[in-house]
């Protein structure tokens, strides 16, 4: 199982601001509950919180969040038809 697949199982919900510069991904991991906070704008680009050490890179946009992991896998969330859809990519 890739890191993106494992991370996708933990995601319970996600919130992205209207500008597409900040996201909160709420996680339910075994024994823990928390969230991953992502920010990417002209002033800052960082990830902090639960699972931040697993994320190598990320990009945010209007209705889209992409997370990249150390094993080369990626997890993309897209807002479609009123709900978030998870898309896994492997390389």
């Amino acid at each position: 199982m890739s890191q993106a697949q494992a991370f996708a199982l933990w995601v319970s919900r996600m919130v992205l601001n209207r500008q597409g510069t900040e996201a909160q991904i709420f996680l339910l991991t075994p024994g823990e509950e928390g969230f991953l906070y992502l920010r990417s704008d002209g002033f800052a680009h960082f990830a902090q919180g639960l699972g931040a050490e697993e994320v190598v890179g990320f990009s945010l946009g209007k209705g889209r969040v992409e997370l990249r992991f150390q094993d080369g896998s990626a997890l993309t969330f897209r807002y479609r038809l009123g709900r978030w859809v998870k898309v896994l990519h492997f390389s």
Side-chain angles (χ1 to χ4, degrees):
M1 179 181 290
S2 71
Q3 288 179 311
Q5 287 174 311
F7 195 86
L9 295 174
W10 295 348
V11 175
S12 63
R13 69 184 179 104
M14 192 170 82
V15 179
L16 180 67
N17 71 348
R18 289 181 189 237
Q19 296 82 18
T21 58
E22 295 181 24
Q24 290 181 344
I25 302 173
F26 292 86
L27 306 169
L28 294 173
T29 62
E32 257 188 293
E33 185 176 330
F35 66 91
L36 174 64
Y37 176 73
L38 306 170
R39 180 170 178 180
S40 181
D41 59 19
F43 302 104
H45 183 84
F46 65 87
Q48 72 181 44
L50 190 61
E53 63 278 352
E54 296 178 17
V55 176
V56 173
F58 68 92
S59 63
L60 302 175
K62 289 190 177 187
R64 183 186 60 79
V65 175
E66 181 181 336
L67 303 173
R68 292 177 298 282
F69 297 91
Q70 296 172 352
D71 65 354
S73 61
L75 176 61
T76 302
F77 296 95
R78 291 189 186 132
Y79 196 70
R80 180 189 230 177
L81 300 174
R83 54 188 306 215
W84 288 102
V85 178
K86 299 174 194 176
V87 181
L88 296 170
H89 304 278
F90 305 102
S91 59

